[in-house]
Amino acid sequence: SAVISQKPSRDICQRGTSLTIQCQVDSQVTMMFWYRQQPGQSLTLIATANQGSEATYESGFVIDKFPISRPNLTFSTLTVSNMSPEDSSIYLCSVGTLAGGRSYEQYFGPGTRLTVT
Amino acid sequence: RKEVEQDPGPFNVPEGATVAFNCTYSNSASQSFFWYRQDCRKEPKLLMSVYSSGNEDGRFTAQLNRASQYISLLIRDSKLSDSATYLCVVKGHAGKSTFGDGTTLTVKP
């Protein structure tokens, strides 16, 4: 499995500001994803971070609000722009790896707990 | 209808009990299936992949029924440390994973 770290682990931000979350993986991975998990809810995929090209966003998420960078196979950033209290959530980086060639498995970073006031 | 549906619970069971969770999915073209465990205020962690032949890992048994489009997780001899939310995950052709809302388990002494 991959070891994933995220920075910051938590932050409290004022509305209207932006926060960039970093995700670092200890090995090169093909697939990297960004998820959001709001209190008491399951995970919602924001986008797939593509190395060397624009991220692929899911319905309801747009690049202007959640710009993503993926400069190489071990690192990605997610920016939450022009924040509002509705953006308060946990943001999770995730990577996909092939497990022994048999199945594709997905692992998660520890998450970034964001509170917008 | 949600793509992945789980009974939210909560399931409250005594130590040593056997408990089973079910999950149904709507996309018959789904390719891979997993169970994740999520502890309070922590990230989801992969518990086990689910194969058509069924698979077992210690006290945990996962099964897949493609015809009926459901996945199950059986936990035998429950421990206090099994208390968590269990997430059913289904992955399709495009590599996108869809998460169920989770089933909460509390194991009591």
Side-chain angles (χ1 to χ4, degrees):
Chain A
S1 64
V3 176
I4 307 166
S5 60
Q6 283 185 237
K7 287 195 297 187
S9 58
R10 59 175 63 229
D11 207 341
I12 302 172
C13 302
Q14 290 190 330
R15 68 175 70 206
T17 63
S18 297
L19 175 72
T20 295
I21 303 167
Q22 299 180 6
C23 176
Q24 180 73 54
V25 191
D26 69 340
S27 57
Q28 292 188 337
V29 292
T30 306
M31 309 292 286
M32 288 183 81
F33 309 92
W34 285 98
Y35 286 81
R36 180 170 75 182
Q37 186 173 31
Q38 294 180 310
Q41 297 186 24
S42 192
L43 288 85
T44 301
L45 179 63
I46 297 172
T48 302
N50 302 309
Q51 194 265 326
S53 64
E54 194 171 283
T56 305
Y57 289 84
E58 297 298 307
S59 175
F61 298 96
V62 295
I63 188 171
D64 290 345
K65 176 68 176 176
F66 297 101
I68 288 170
S69 79
R70 179 131 186 238
N72 56 53
L73 293 176
T74 64
F75 185 79
S76 178
T77 68
L78 168 74
T79 299
V80 186
S81 303
N82 188 26
M83 288 184 282
S84 66
E86 292 72 37
D87 294 322
S88 297
S89 188
I90 299 171
Y91 292 85
L92 295 137
C93 174
S94 176
V95 304
T97 63
L98 277 176
R102 185 172 181 184
S103 69
Y104 174 92
E105 296 179 344
Q106 200 167 339
Y107 298 93
F108 289 84
T112 295
R113 187 177 297 275
L114 170 63
T115 303
V116 183
T117 61
Chain B
R1 184 190 169 190
K2 291 183 179 179
E3 288 185 55
V4 179
E5 293 206 59
Q6 293 183 248
D7 181 343
F11 284 65
N12 297 304
V13 303
E15 271 187 290
T18 295
V19 61
F21 306 138
N22 289 325
C23 167
T24 58
Y25 60 96
S26 60
N27 186 350
S28 59
S30 298
Q31 298 219 307
S32 305
F33 310 88
F34 309 90
W35 284 101
Y36 280 75
R37 170 195 171 127
Q38 187 170 27
D39 292 285
C40 188
R41 304 177 83 85
K42 299 281 189 180
E43 75 274 19
K45 293 192 174 169
L46 179 64
L47 182 63
M48 56 200 307
S49 303
V50 188
Y51 305 119
S52 297
S53 54
N55 46 307
E56 188 173 309
D57 182 4
R59 298 181 294 109
F60 298 84
T61 300
Q63 292 198 313
L64 167 65
N65 185 320
R66 285 190 182 270
S68 302
Q69 294 180 211
Y70 86 79
I71 308 136
S72 65
L73 176 68
L74 183 76
I75 305 176
R76 290 181 299 278
D77 189 22
S78 300
K79 312 287 185 195
L80 296 177
S81 57
D82 293 333
S83 298
T85 296
Y86 290 83
L87 301 167
C88 173
V89 181
V90 175
K91 182 178 288 292
H93 270 287
K96 177 185 168 184
S97 294
T98 302
F99 286 74
D101 288 342
T103 298
T104 300
L105 171 67
T106 301
V107 181
K108 299 187 174 180

